[in-house]
Amino acid sequence: MAEAASFASLWVPFCRKHDIEPRNPESYFSLKRDPYKDKVRPDFVKDRRKVKREYDEFKVRINGLGDSIRRRSDAFNAHEEIKVMKQMRNRDIDEDEVVERVKVPKATWMADGTHWPGTWTVAAPEHSRGDHASIIQVMLNPPSDEPLKAKEPSQSEGPGDVRPVRTTASDSTSMDLTDIDIRLPMLVYISREKRPGYDHNKKAGAMNALVRASAIMSNGPFILNLDCDHYIYNSKAPREGMCFMMDRGGEQICYVQFPQRFEGIDPSDRYANHNTVFFDVNMRALDGIQGPVYVGTGCLFRRVAIYGFDPPKTKETSDGCFGRFFARRKKVVSVSSAPEERASSEDSHSVMLGEFENEEMNIALVPKQFGNSNYLIDSIPVAEFEGRPIADHSSIKYGRPPGALRICRQLLDPTIVAEAISVISCWYEDKTEWGQRVGWIYGSVTEDVVTGYRMHNRGWRSIYCVTKRDAFRGTAPINLTDRLHQVLRWATGSVEIFFSQNNAALASSRMKLLQRIAYLNVGIYPFTSVFLIVYCFLPALSLFSGQFIVQTLNVAFLTYLLIITLTLCALAVLEIKWSGIAIEEWWRNEQFWLIGGTSAHLAAVLQGLLKVLAGIEISFTLTSKSAGEDNDDEFADLYIFKWTSLMIPPITIMMINLIGIAVAVCRTIYSSNPEWSKLIGGVFFSFWVLAHLFPFAKGLMGRRGRTPTIVFVWSGLLAITISLLWVAIDPPTSSSGIGGSFQFP
């Protein structure tokens, strides 16, 4: 973090000076396009070379950080041991006894002379990965309120500013930052307290801790949520998201969701990692109802919506979204409004959490909902006020006056940092509504969907923002097994939602009907795997039995089949047209829909039913791994095979359909009265199933068709077992031979 903060003092001004996009240095320097295109400043080439050289040195320091910390710690620990030995010798203690009694606790020493308990490899008690106190380290203080130009070095001594880069003309290696704002945003490292025996609620608990700490230290009205494998590809995207919330009617918007875009995907996108049908069709359609679902990353939130408040009433008599809740609080610390406005802010900022007859009752409920931190509670109306649209038009009844935010923010002091440390402790959420009604919701694998659902259920709207240039980019698993486990986690969360109080069938009247249906689909779609499995086996059973899927091809059936086929074709055309994707991408999405439906979705249903009905939790783990051969290949992970039990159903489907085709062809060839129409009909549907499973088969074969032995073993065992079951159910007669009229020549 310290190295990144140091490099940022050069990288950020360079980006501002030359309008660099993307602002991820690794992605920028890896671009395959001409970096000098559209750059008009004559010193761009020199500046880029300097920054590239600094970035390469930065990566070398980062890669060697582990070894340097170990060497530094060994040197400091040896120095401490020598120091203790000298002290004991001065006490006239025997030499051998000194060597035995000298046991200095090992520590990891930092560059500033401080140290962490425990060594780099061996953790100390109460200072390990799952057992440590709260940690907050301010790497960069809050910036000044006014732009800081490089030509004014005397201003850099203010709080929160970094030392500007030298701009002397005589220094050929310096960067000319004249009239460039060199301020850096506040950078804080936060690690919440973790103790054995506490349920820390994974990502949801981490996000709630971050919300509380940031409320005390910065209290921005909007929060941008990104996963650790994502980065900002368009620096103007957060501004576009805030424009929705600050525009007329924006006070009803709880979050702005951006589409997920991925890098490092194989050119054919074998396992539909781009998920374009969902992000470019489904999410856009939801944008026309009450808003898209929250997908866990690439989302800009309104802070007060995370706190569990209802949206402000639309009628003019409303005081906003929070009056009764804070109407009787006597102390409101506001850093964004003038002193004369602070008295009226208690009446103008309101949050409707319910119709309480006694306002004193609301005050008693504050610690129960948010905890006993007065700093946190007092920050809530401030964040709500700062997030309001600007009341620059008569039609805006719920806004803030222009210029209300031009007040210097409160500086960080030890009291504020200590309070921020206290709100990320293990015990802070005890007997509060964090994770229940406030913040990210606990109790589900897909806490992101549940959190967004709760906001929509309270009447909030969301927006889907598709920027011309991708807002954010990230990575996705391109390996078959990793992709199946990712889909399994999503489907398991959906099953948990279906069997919980977050089922959309129980939603309030504030949620629109079509939005409710959309959330119902989120919880129901894994159960379609049961019907999908039946559909995939039907063609094979038809080939085994010699009977077509339906008894007679009458007009009614053909009409029904035609209507269904035309409906599906029209849906496919609309998906392709709306999303602007190629037919190949759409077909990849259809293929993986069947692959995931017959493997991960079915396993998720099984997991959910066992957990709900019997209280049994099962997991699907990786048991073997076949590594790729070419480590230099960018897509080497695509060919890595890791066996998992999720692969059993698709393998069974492929083997049964292949055996069914072989049996039907042999029966027809050696039949005295061959029925080629039945054979063609049955084989067509079996080939249709196998065509959907083709990417799965390629994943099993790995590179150059090297299929692991375990695949053949399982396939053979399953095929033999099902064949024997079929013979037991429908044994051949003496007159018809195997499978009816088929006989060996």
Side-chain angles (χ1 to χ4, degrees):
M1 293 286 288
E3 291 285 354
S6 175
F7 176 72
S9 63
L10 178 67
W11 170 252
V12 173
F14 169 72
C15 292
R16 289 174 179 162
K17 177 180 179 180
H18 298 288
D19 195 20
I20 299 298
E21 295 285 355
R23 298 198 173 179
N24 176 7
E26 184 67 24
S27 297
Y28 171 71
F29 290 119
S30 301
L31 291 176
K32 297 181 180 180
R33 59 177 173 83
D34 183 11
Y36 308 109
K37 185 178 179 180
D38 300 329
K39 301 303 179 185
V40 296
R41 286 181 176 263
D43 56 350
F44 172 72
V45 176
K46 184 187 71 173
D47 291 349
R48 187 180 185 276
R49 289 175 179 172
K50 173 180 174 54
V51 175
K52 180 65 167 62
R53 183 171 60 254
E54 292 289 340
Y55 181 62
D56 291 339
E57 294 177 0
F58 164 74
K59 290 195 295 184
V60 170
R61 292 195 301 269
I62 292 296
N63 293 333
L65 197 58
D67 293 335
S68 63
I69 291 178
R70 290 188 188 96
R71 290 194 299 268
R72 182 196 309 132
S73 299
D74 292 342
F76 273 100
N77 290 328
H79 177 73
E80 291 295 315
E81 290 182 359
I82 294 174
K83 184 178 178 181
V84 172
M85 291 179 65
K86 288 182 178 180
Q87 293 177 354
M88 297 182 69
R89 288 194 185 98
N90 294 335
R91 299 175 186 174
D92 297 331
I93 301 177
D94 186 66
E95 185 72 22
D96 295 334
E97 188 177 354
V98 168
V99 176
E100 290 182 5
R101 292 176 58 179
V102 171
K103 293 183 179 180
V104 178
K106 303 296 183 181
T108 300
W109 292 79
M110 300 292 106
D112 59 357
T114 60
H115 68 274
W116 302 102
T119 63
W120 185 255
T121 55
V122 181
E126 297 187 357
H127 203 285
S128 60
R129 185 173 183 180
D131 183 13
H132 61 80
S134 304
I135 303 172
I136 291 183
Q137 179 66 48
V138 180
M139 312 303 298
L140 294 175
N141 287 326
S144 58
D145 298 295
E146 297 297 329
L148 181 63
K149 307 297 183 180
K151 66 179 181 180
E152 301 172 3
S154 60
Q155 297 184 15
S156 65
E157 301 302 324
D161 299 322
V162 295
R163 191 181 301 276
V165 181
R166 294 180 58 86
T167 58
T168 351
S170 59
D171 189 357
S172 60
T173 62
S174 65
M175 185 186 303
D176 184 10
L177 298 177
T178 305
D179 295 330
I180 302 298
D181 188 0
I182 62 173
R183 290 178 300 171
L184 298 180
M186 182 170 65
L187 178 63
V188 181
Y189 171 80
I190 295 179
S191 179
R192 56 186 170 139
E193 181 184 14
K194 288 188 176 182
R195 299 299 180 190
Y198 277 85
D199 185 2
H200 302 289
N201 297 292
K202 301 178 181 178
K203 176 182 175 180
M207 293 303 300
N208 286 338
L210 182 61
V211 168
R212 294 192 297 269
S214 63
I216 294 174
M217 301 185 71
S218 60
N219 199 31
F222 308 114
I223 299 176
L224 178 62
N225 165 224
L226 289 179
D227 280 350
C228 59
D229 59 350
H230 281 63
Y231 69 92
I232 298 178
Y233 192 74
N234 181 359
S235 61
K236 297 179 176 58
R239 180 182 298 179
E240 295 193 29
M242 287 188 286
C243 286
F244 282 105
M245 297 185 181
M246 305 292 283
D247 202 0
R248 300 174 190 174
E251 67 275 1
Q252 301 288 331
I253 299 174
C254 56
Y255 62 80
V256 176
Q257 178 67 60
F258 295 86
Q260 290 190 36
R261 306 300 185 198
F262 301 103
E263 295 178 338
I265 306 298
D266 55 296
S268 63
D269 193 14
R270 181 186 294 181
Y271 305 123
N273 284 284
H274 286 300
N275 214 356
T276 49
V277 173
F278 174 77
F279 286 111
D280 293 337
V281 178
N282 299 359
M283 297 286 274
R284 291 191 182 192
L286 288 173
D287 194 39
I289 309 174
Q290 199 172 338
V293 298
Y294 167 45
V295 297
T297 183
C299 190
L300 185 70
F301 282 95
R302 184 183 297 276
R303 182 180 286 272
V304 293
I306 296 177
Y307 289 150
F309 297 134
D310 296 343
K313 291 183 178 179
T314 55
K315 59 183 181 180
E316 296 183 9
T317 57
S318 170
D319 290 329
C321 69
F322 13 41
R324 296 189 183 132
F325 198 80
F326 290 98
R328 297 293 299 274
R329 287 190 61 84
K330 296 181 179 180
K331 179 182 178 181
V332 178
V333 180
S334 175
V335 297
S336 61
S337 56
E340 60 271 12
E341 294 174 345
R342 297 183 185 178
S344 62
S345 65
E346 299 183 6
D347 298 326
S348 61
H349 307 161
S350 67
V351 177
M352 298 297 297
L353 282 180
E355 300 294 336
F356 294 101
E357 297 180 358
N358 187 357
E359 293 181 354
E360 295 293 343
M361 188 182 301
N362 286 359
I363 301 175
L365 289 175
V366 172
K368 180 181 179 181
Q369 290 182 309
F370 301 103
N372 56 4
S373 172
N374 291 329
Y375 281 87
L376 174 61
I377 295 171
D378 291 337
S379 71
I380 296 176
V382 178
E384 188 272 341
F385 178 72
E386 293 180 348
R388 290 185 178 188
I390 300 177
D392 55 355
H393 193 271
S394 59
S395 63
I396 300 179
K397 304 299 181 182
Y398 176 77
R400 56 176 173 80
L405 303 184
R406 296 176 181 174
I407 304 297
C408 295
R409 289 186 173 271
Q410 185 177 358
L411 300 178
L412 292 180
D413 56 40
T415 305
I416 294 177
V417 176
E419 186 71 16
I421 291 176
S422 68
V423 299
I424 60 175
S425 60
C426 291
W427 53 265
Y428 186 83
E429 293 184 356
D430 295 344
K431 298 181 180 180
T432 68
E433 294 189 356
W434 283 99
Q436 308 302 320
R437 280 179 52 91
V438 181
W440 270 254
I441 306 302
Y442 300 155
S444 175
V445 178
T446 52
E447 70 286 330
D448 41 15
V449 177
V450 176
T451 302
Y453 164 78
R454 291 288 186 90
M455 294 181 183
H456 285 138
N457 199 33
R458 288 191 292 268
W460 289 95
R461 293 190 303 113
S462 59
I463 294 293
Y464 194 56
C465 180
V466 183
T467 56
K468 185 176 181 181
R469 177 186 177 87
D470 294 345
F472 312 103
R473 285 192 177 182
T475 59
I478 62 175
N479 176 264
L480 174 60
T481 307
D482 296 337
R483 179 77 165 113
L484 289 178
H485 277 268
Q486 182 188 55
V487 175
L488 173 64
R489 185 179 66 85
W490 295 342
T492 302
S494 296
V495 174
E496 291 176 349
I497 292 173
F498 181 80
F499 288 112
S500 70
Q501 61 179 347
N502 298 308
N503 191 314
L506 308 176
S508 68
S509 58
R510 298 181 181 181
M511 181 176 291
K512 296 182 179 180
L513 176 61
L514 293 179
Q515 190 78 12
R516 185 182 304 219
I517 294 175
Y519 273 111
L520 275 173
N521 177 66
V522 171
I524 289 176
Y525 81 88
F527 294 93
T528 60
S529 60
V530 179
F531 305 98
L532 198 58
I533 288 286
V534 175
Y535 168 79
C536 291
F537 277 114
L538 273 179
L541 296 179
S542 172
L543 294 174
F544 277 122
S545 63
Q547 301 294 328
F548 196 57
I549 297 176
V550 293
Q551 292 183 352
T552 58
L553 296 175
N554 53 28
V555 177
F557 172 76
L558 292 176
T559 304
Y560 172 77
L561 183 62
L562 179 62
I563 293 175
I564 293 297
T565 304
L566 291 177
T567 302
L568 293 176
C569 290
L571 181 62
V573 170
L574 288 176
E575 287 180 344
I576 294 173
K577 181 180 178 181
W578 286 344
S579 61
I581 63 177
I583 296 179
E584 183 182 3
E585 290 181 290
W586 174 84
W587 174 239
R588 285 283 183 264
N589 187 83
E590 294 296 307
Q591 287 178 312
F592 195 79
W593 169 74
L594 189 140
I595 294 171
T598 56
S599 56
H601 295 175
L602 185 65
V605 173
L606 178 63
Q607 273 186 327
L609 292 176
L610 288 177
K611 183 177 181 180
V612 172
L613 300 179
I616 301 175
E617 295 190 13
I618 59 176
S619 61
F620 298 86
T621 57
L622 313 180
T623 57
S624 63
K625 178 177 178 179
S626 176
E629 298 176 358
D630 190 1
N631 295 328
D632 297 331
D633 188 355
E634 182 182 359
F635 308 111
D637 288 347
L638 182 67
Y639 308 104
I640 295 177
F641 178 83
K642 294 177 283 187
W643 172 256
T644 174
S645 53
L646 295 177
M647 296 178 177
I648 295 178
I651 291 176
T652 306
I653 292 172
M654 288 193 301
M655 295 302 299
I656 295 301
N657 277 276
L658 290 173
I659 295 174
I661 292 174
V663 169
V665 170
C666 293
R667 180 196 300 121
T668 304
I669 292 176
Y670 294 103
S671 174
S672 58
N673 185 22
E675 298 180 356
W676 294 100
S677 59
K678 287 186 178 180
L679 174 65
I680 293 174
V683 170
F684 170 78
F685 286 108
S686 284
F687 270 119
W688 186 246
V689 173
L690 293 173
H692 280 78
L693 292 173
F694 179 68
F696 178 82
K698 290 183 67 177
L700 294 181
M701 291 185 292
R703 189 190 296 272
R704 301 187 185 95
R706 294 190 174 184
T707 307
T709 306
I710 190 172
V711 175
F712 292 111
V713 173
W714 274 103
S715 302
L717 290 175
L718 290 171
I720 293 172
T721 303
I722 295 178
S723 300
L724 292 175
L725 287 175
W726 180 258
V727 172
I729 294 172
D730 186 18
T733 60
S734 58
S735 59
S736 61
I738 298 175
S741 60
F742 169 67
Q743 293 181 350
F744 285 108

